[in-house]
Amino acid sequence: MEKILKFGGTSCGSIESIQSVLAIIESNGKSSSDFAVVFSAMSGVTNHLLEAGTLAAQPKSTVNTLIETIETRHFEVIKHFIPVTGQSQVIAHVRTLVNELRDVLKGINLIKEISPKTSDALVSFGERLSTYLIFAILQQKGLPVFYVDAREIIKTNSTFSHSEVDFEVTNPLITAYFETNKGKIGLVTGFIASNAKGETTTLGRGGSDYTASVIGAALGVKEIEIWTDVDGMMTADPRKVKSAFTIPSISYAEAMELTHFGAKVIYPPSLQPAFAKNIPIRVLNTFNPSFAGTVVSKELTGSPYIITGISSIDQLALVNLQGSGMIGVAGVSAKLFTVLAREKISVVLISQASSEHSICFAIDPSVSDKVRKVLEKEFAAEMVAGDIEGIDIQKELSVIAVVGEGMRKHTGVSGKLFSSLGKNGINIVATAQGSSELNISVVIEKKDLSKALNVIHETFFFSQIKTLHLYLVGAGLIGKTLLEQIIGQEHYLAKYKGIKIRLTGIANSRKQLIKEEGIELDQALRLLDLDGDTTDLAGFITKIKALNLPNSIFADCTANKEIYTNYLGLFQSNISVVTPNKVANSGPYDLYAQLHQTALAKGVKFLYETNVGAGLPVINTLQGLIASGDRFEKIEGILSGTLSFLFNQFKPGKSFGEVLRAAKQKGYTEPDPREDLSGMDVARKILILSREIGLKLEFSDITIEKIIPTACEAAPTVDAFFEEIDKANDFFEKLVNDSAAKGEVLRYIACLEDQKITIGLRSVGPAHPFYQMDGADNVIAFTTKRYHDRPLVIKGPGAGAEVTASGVFADIVSIGSHLA
Ligand SMILES: NC(=O)c1ccc[n+]([C@@H]2O[C@H](COP(=O)([O-])OP(=O)(O)OC[C@H]3O[C@@H](n4cnc5c(N)ncnc54)[C@H](O)[C@@H]3O)[C@@H](O)[C@H]2O)c1
Ligand SMILES: N[C@@H](CCO)C(=O)O
Ligand code: NA
């Protein structure tokens, strides 16, 4: 015979699905009749039958409603597919079967008990009904079909509910039966069989697949098709990993490993007879029949990936047995696993270090109390003697298995696996790798499961592209410009850096929006307005943490003074922070130190190049010098773009207020320009630089020489401030004139030397290195041990939306490169 098709319960579940099943069979029938089809019961029917059985065994209960439900579902199929003239005969046959079913239930009701034997007889009606219906429909359509009650050809022992097939008797029966009906399509009841006495038995878990496999093996078919409701076996559970895709080809051994840990599309043990005869199994989708699905076979067609798939068990407990008395003592593990076997406790994974000091193994958490009791009893003597110190059971864990024959040929697979988890702060509680190198298993905390699956999936299947999840808080001047810049670089980043930035959250002071699947960058502001909720920063951050997405970056593009109190929690949740906001790094030193230490300890990034000199490479350069062992002697510079612009542009006769307004309009000033004019902004920057070189200075250690009249400084609002500035024009004219009279210019200079910071307005002549400035230029001179005679100077535009956003962007990309 050419092949066997098998349709599961969902394929036989409704009018629509049966429509697809019929179409698939008819299309196969066009070219040949040399195949057979195995059917499960209509979905839900087996459960209804079992329920009816349980009910029937109770006094004074009625099963009529359940039987009617079952009957009606089958009648509906008849009415839909069979022409009226042909219906009565089919309906009559279904009635006969249902009456027989009623008799079985009556029997159960009489003795008030349901044995595995009666249960098997009861559930057999599901497959008998579904298969008969499809037989009747196809027969009326004129296809050469015959109905096969598998009880006539599959013989088992009498272990009801999970009977074992007697192949010696079965195989000749199958070949003879199909030989007699050669040239016709056999439609076979799945799941059911019979014992030597002719009593109905069932084949246990994966039953109908087993039927297909037993018949296929007996007839030596070329392929077995398992039709289900998904596109074959996937690289990961698509409910947990959105980017999971169908595995085109997989080996029997890999399929075993994957399904052992989850992927429940097929149950490989039930396909054993076919495996043994090297018959390939193809897993196909009834609802997407043209899709090629997955072939499970001995031969591999060569996957482009190192691994084949990932699966997991969500709930797991880890038992750890430890003690010095276990070292070198033969038999502890033998005893342990004998006990577990005796108690029928299934062990999911085992790991023992070569020190032999401990053995750890994973079990279903529902049996953890039992395991503890059993072990405490069994090892009581060893525990009293102190040879075994204790039994530790950890719950709320999950296990992930990375599976693939390809791992044998590649080195560095576990390195890749562990480092990808490590970079995302996922703690590995235990690991196990079989010497077959077919499966590496890692036990992790349950809360990290979805994140870990996604990280691993991306690492092995999309290694060319790393998705960064970006949460942008602050969609003002810098935030908006950043979004525009990202849009412009999407293609470049994907192609040359292997990075995709997915905007997962955005907020401004009014609204916030989080979308796990990502927010279209060019629609982000509109969507924030349209779909956003009222801003609640604490709630926003709680949601980010709960989402627990891999490669997450929080970009703080606000000037908010409190937001940084959230950074610590973000770091602890393995979320990196990128920010132009200077408040965190210029706050109390203890907090500053705690933030930096936490980020370092958690392996996440805290990047803030734009804190000083906007996009100019000030912080990175400084860090490079420090890292390479240079020593700083002096840092001096013009660190305010706004003040630089003011003193470059303002000339007597001009309005100082107008020049300041122009600076604001050009995006140089802080959202509140009082921060710039008061010297606060410069003070923050030089303090940040001092901390970068290792000084423990506080804001209060800085002396700021004032440059604006007290009235300006005292102005309560930004508007009032501008009014005061306008009134102070003479004051500023005099400052400039006095300086110009000496042939000099005014420069607002910050200086760090001998652990002291001074900031003030200086009048400098043409010989001074800061004399020649333009626009909103910053200049920073580092005098160090190495750059001693002539300082290292960084100079250029130090404020403005484009240069600042690009500095923030570069920090984000640098995190991407670190993760990729
Ligand atoms: N302009 C520059 O040249 C420059 C250079 C370097 C650094 N920076 C820094 O960049 C940051 C942003 O500056 P900007 O000019 O874009 O400011 P902005 O006022 O234009 O934008 C700030 C944004 O933050 C939002 N915001 C404020 N508080 C918030 C909160 N609690 N929750 C959510 N959103 C909140 C606002 O709604 C706004 O969208 C500042 O920290 C500034 O110091 C600016
Ligand atoms: N307001 C700041 C922006 C850069 O940090 C300045 O004028 O320098
Ligand atoms: Na910078």
Side-chain angles (χ1 to χ4, degrees), residues 348-352 399-400 418 430-434 439-443:
V348 180
L349 157 162
I350 305 165
S351 167
Q352 179 177 22
V399 62
I400 295 179
F418 296 150
T431 73
Q433 177 181 5
N439 171 339
I440 303 177
S441 302
V442 290
V443 179

Side-chain angles (χ1 to χ4, degrees), residues 104-349:
V104 175
L105 289 166
K106 243 179 237 155
I108 295 171
N109 186 250
L110 277 177
I111 54 171
K112 299 280 181 292
E113 186 195 292
I114 177 161
S115 67
K117 181 171 155 181
T118 18
S119 176
D120 278 0
L122 185 65
V123 292
S124 75
F125 286 94
E127 275 72 14
R128 288 158 67 193
L129 281 164
S130 65
T131 309
Y132 170 72
L133 279 195
I134 296 187
F135 161 74
I137 298 167
L138 289 172
Q139 196 183 39
Q140 301 236 358
K141 280 176 178 274
L143 263 80
V145 287
F146 66 104
Y147 173 84
V148 186
D149 187 328
R151 293 176 298 178
E152 289 180 38
I153 54 171
I154 299 182
K155 288 292 173 182
T156 68
N157 65 7
S158 297
T159 318
F160 294 99
S161 85
H162 51 276
S163 316
E164 279 162 32
V165 172
D166 180 344
F167 287 96
E168 266 180 49
V169 184
T170 300
N171 286 347
L173 279 176
I174 293 175
T175 37
Y177 197 96
F178 281 92
E179 187 56 39
T180 323
N181 291 288
K182 215 177 163 81
K184 290 202 275 175
I185 305 163
L187 306 180
V188 190
T189 56
F191 188 47
I192 63 175
S194 68
N195 64 10
K197 286 195 244 168
E199 293 160 335
T200 303
T201 59
T202 59
L203 300 175
R205 202 177 150 195
S208 297
D209 288 357
Y210 196 47
T211 309
S213 173
V214 169
I215 297 176
L219 298 175
V221 297
K222 296 210 180 80
E223 186 167 274
I224 295 176
E225 295 179 356
I226 304 288
W227 289 85
T228 169
D229 58 350
V230 289
D231 280 340
M233 294 183 76
M234 312 274 280
T235 49
D237 184 340
R239 287 164 303 181
K240 297 197 182 88
V241 179
K242 296 263 177 339
S243 55
F245 56 91
T246 301
I247 304 169
S249 149
I250 186 170
S251 75
Y252 294 138
E254 289 172 329
M256 286 285 215
E257 293 284 344
L258 275 183
T259 40
H260 174 58
F261 268 24
K264 294 288 187 298
V265 182
I266 52 168
Y267 177 58
S270 69
L271 300 168
Q272 196 49 46
F275 290 172
K277 286 204 142 182
N278 283 342
I279 299 169
I281 312 280
R282 189 181 287 275
V283 183
L284 291 155
N285 189 351
T286 304
F287 307 96
N288 184 16
S290 60
F291 191 77
T294 301
V295 181
V296 191
S297 65
K298 203 174 172 196
E299 301 304 326
L300 275 182
T301 50
S303 154
Y305 305 106
I306 303 175
I307 67 166
T308 304
I310 306 162
S311 69
S312 63
I313 298 178
D314 297 12
Q315 290 275 8
L316 201 87
L318 202 64
V319 186
N320 195 36
L321 197 67
Q322 60 183 30
S324 49
M326 287 166 59
I327 303 170
V329 182
V332 175
S333 49
K335 180 169 171 184
L336 171 66
F337 294 110
T338 309
V339 173
L340 294 174
R342 189 190 69 210
E343 299 291 333
K344 295 203 166 37
I345 289 158
S346 133
V347 174
V348 180
L349 157 162

